[in-house]
Amino acid sequence: MAGKKIAAPKGVSEYFPPRSAAFEFVRDCLINPAKNAGYQLIELPVFEDTELFTRGVGESTDVVSKEMYTFLDRGDRSITLRPEGTAGVMRAVIEHGLDRGQLPAKLWYSGQFFRAERPQAGRYRQFYQVGIEAIGLDDAAIDAEVIAIADAGFKAIGLTQYRLDITSLGDAQSRAAHRVDLLNFIAKMNLDEATSARAAINPLRLFDDKRPEISKAMEDAPLLMNYLSESSRQHFEQVKKYLDVLGISYVLNPRMVRGLDYYTGTTFEFVHELLGAQSGIGGGGRYDGLMAELGGQALSGIGFGLGVDRALLAAQAEGVISQESFVSDLFIIPLGERAKEKALQIASALRAGGKIVEISFGDRALKGSMKGADKSGARYVVVLGDSEITSGTVEVKEMKTGATSSVKIDSLISAL
Ligand code: HAM
């Protein structure tokens, strides 16, 4: 009896051929600038002790209050699928003493993250991020460098239609001064209980509230940018100066609120123009209190998370990735047993030289194999029979134009 089909869980992003090649390309474009800047890989579990996120990310956030995949494991421990990467990295840095060596500790990661959001285009319950974290350095130059690394990733994909929003959330002193005035302002608003409770934990959340009556009321709210302490203001001025030096343009957005509570100082978001509601392709900032909050020493940190799924959607919207960049260089069609053996040898030599080579196996008729070559999208095709093996020469056919040329088997690699 045939079994019932099983579908993927709702709202997950999946990548399979042919689109998976573009996904891989985008992810690698986002990773490489971090590697080039000396960041090193950190691989962490996708599940952690729930408390890491309630304490690290913050209870006023949607991420913690509504979107976590939390369950009891078989030992009745509360486990949560990671909704973001920073808290886990800090946990590992503290646990394994990565902060005891040379500072800053510079780490990159890439993988799946989980948020039980309402699925829509560009918003998934399992999605992919590439992220970096630099721990233990206050220098404003690293803020600009972190932003530049993200920007370089988007540029490597070929994206142009995005902007960078930046602001500063200041230090504890700045936020304390602002908080007094903001809470006074909010007290005059007529808020429901749940919203008041959120505002009591983190009043900045209200800047992010999408309900029209609240965003209207918040138009006149005092802005943290106007409460920056002298040292926070100077730090932010320097970040902007270094961004100018790097030629990275930005928009000051003093109303920007990130979705996680650990941010301090410089914060930023990359927003793509063609993506509609889910336009944030990446974001990050400083989190100078997080490490101490999680039981480590009081070290500062800064990093970002870039949305690989959204960067891919952006690349498709801009039409900057051509599927052609991911196809094989050569498709070999062997005719007969001797040719199959020779094809295996030729393919392994070419592959060792970095070429992408496929062989048509299965002793199919030439016509069927040619169809296979066509479907594969390979750039060139070669038919290998006894006469080619004897003469040591093959006819290399360019699939797109149909043009052929005779090439010595031994010099195929240079010919390709
Ligand atoms: P985040 O802004 O929450 O930051 O997420 C970073 C990026 O992940 C977003 O800009 C977006 O592109 C992507 N993203 C988030 N949620 C979804 C979703 N449901 N579906 C698809 N893509 C999504 C963080 O996660 C911080 N940990 C970043 C960071 C690192 N800050 C400092 N260090």
Side-chain angles (χ1 to χ4, degrees):
M1 203 178 73
K4 193 167 151 271
K5 282 187 196 158
I6 299 170
K10 197 176 163 205
V12 299
S13 64
E14 298 184 288
Y15 298 96
F16 38 85
R19 198 165 172 252
S20 50
F23 170 82
E24 189 187 8
F25 169 78
V26 165
R27 185 190 57 198
D28 292 348
C29 284
L30 297 177
I31 290 172
N32 286 333
K35 287 193 194 172
N36 292 345
Y39 284 73
Q40 291 182 303
L41 175 65
I42 183 163
E43 282 287 0
L44 293 176
V46 297
F47 59 88
E48 296 270 5
D49 188 326
T50 299
E51 192 186 344
L52 175 65
F53 302 114
T54 47
R55 250 204 289 151
V57 174
E59 312 231 36
S60 83
T61 63
D62 279 355
V63 168
V64 167
S65 64
K66 301 182 194 160
E67 297 170 356
M68 293 207 300
Y69 280 100
T70 298
F71 57 94
L72 288 180
D73 74 0
R74 287 169 192 270
D76 273 344
R77 288 165 287 251
S78 181
I79 293 292
T80 294
L81 299 185
R82 61 181 184 186
E84 63 95 50
T86 312
V89 170
M90 295 313 281
R91 192 267 306 145
V93 166
I94 297 166
E95 186 173 348
H96 306 299
L98 302 181
D99 54 334
R100 279 187 234 123
Q102 170 92 355
L103 293 177
K106 299 197 296 183
L107 303 162
W108 72 268
Y109 51 88
S110 140
Q112 289 94 335
F113 295 86
F114 308 86
R115 295 181 192 177
E117 302 196 71
R118 265 232 318 255
Q120 64 179 86
R123 187 164 74 188
Y124 310 109
R125 293 181 169 175
Q126 175 181 301
F127 57 97
Y128 292 82
Q129 274 187 10
V130 165
I132 70 172
E133 313 293 347
I135 295 136
L137 192 72
D138 294 325
D139 192 332
I142 202 163
D143 300 35
E145 187 182 68
V146 163
I147 291 171
I149 290 168
D151 188 59
F154 294 133
K155 291 220 169 85
I157 297 167
L159 298 180
T160 54
Q161 300 186 58
Y162 64 89
R163 67 162 203 273
L164 163 65
D165 281 2
I166 62 168
T167 191
S168 172
L169 298 179
D171 52 14
Q173 186 197 334
S174 320
R175 283 193 306 282
H178 174 245
R179 190 184 159 94
V180 173
D181 284 2
L182 184 58
L183 283 175
N184 278 334
F185 180 88
I186 288 172
K188 290 179 204 128
M189 290 165 67
N190 201 0
L191 294 176
D192 61 85
E193 214 169 291
T195 313
S196 299
R198 262 152 65 93
I201 307 176
N202 182 357
L204 292 175
R205 286 271 146 259
L206 290 198
F207 283 106
D208 208 17
D209 201 307
K210 301 284 183 296
R211 287 171 291 181
E213 66 280 11
I214 300 212
S215 52
K216 179 99 189 62
M218 287 301 286
E219 274 172 14
D220 301 323
L223 295 175
L224 179 45
M225 186 54 87
N226 300 327
Y227 291 75
L228 294 188
S229 67
E230 187 49 26
S231 67
S232 290
R233 198 190 57 74
Q234 272 180 19
H235 189 275
F236 193 52
E237 287 306 316
Q238 281 184 313
V239 174
K240 289 189 283 180
K241 181 189 83 179
Y242 292 126
L243 287 175
D244 291 341
V245 166
L246 283 161
I248 293 177
S249 45
Y250 51 82
V251 179
L252 283 183
N253 180 355
R255 297 177 162 270
M256 179 172 79
V257 180
R258 305 267 305 126
L260 314 162
D261 270 355
Y262 48 61
Y263 287 109
T264 60
T266 314
T267 48
F268 54 91
E269 252 167 30
F270 289 87
V271 182
H272 198 272
E273 288 164 18
L274 305 180
L275 288 190
Q278 305 305 318
S279 58
I281 51 175
R286 282 203 161 267
Y287 42 86
D288 290 349
L290 180 58
M291 190 151 168
E293 174 65 38
L294 294 175
Q297 42 168 339
L299 287 180
S300 62
I302 179 163
F304 62 59
L306 311 180
V308 184
D309 314 86
R310 289 188 195 168
L312 174 57
L313 290 173
Q316 285 170 330
E318 286 198 41
V320 289
I321 304 183
S322 94
Q323 205 57 44
E324 270 175 40
S325 12
F326 312 118
V327 297
S328 306
D329 298 302
L330 181 67
F331 195 93
I332 306 176
I333 300 173
L335 301 176
E337 186 55 26
R338 211 173 126 221
K340 203 195 268 185
E341 288 171 14
K342 187 73 185 166
L344 284 165
Q345 291 172 334
I346 296 173
S348 41
L350 292 175
R351 288 171 191 157
K355 296 293 171 199
I356 307 174
V357 183
E358 293 182 79
I359 305 174
S360 170
F361 290 123
D363 306 314
R364 283 191 287 175
L366 182 57
K367 204 170 149 201
S369 291
M370 280 309 274
K371 262 195 196 148
D374 221 21
K375 270 212 181 121
S376 84
R379 286 201 182 95
Y380 298 99
V381 65
V382 153
V383 178
L384 195 66
D386 283 339
S387 64
E388 283 80 10
I389 296 172
T390 311
S391 67
T393 306
V394 287
E395 289 293 305
V396 176
K397 180 174 168 189
E398 187 178 8
M399 293 302 278
K400 213 168 171 181
T401 60
T404 60
S405 54
S406 295
V407 177
K408 284 257 168 259
I409 291 177
D410 293 339
S411 44
L412 262 175
I413 191 139
S414 51
L416 292 175

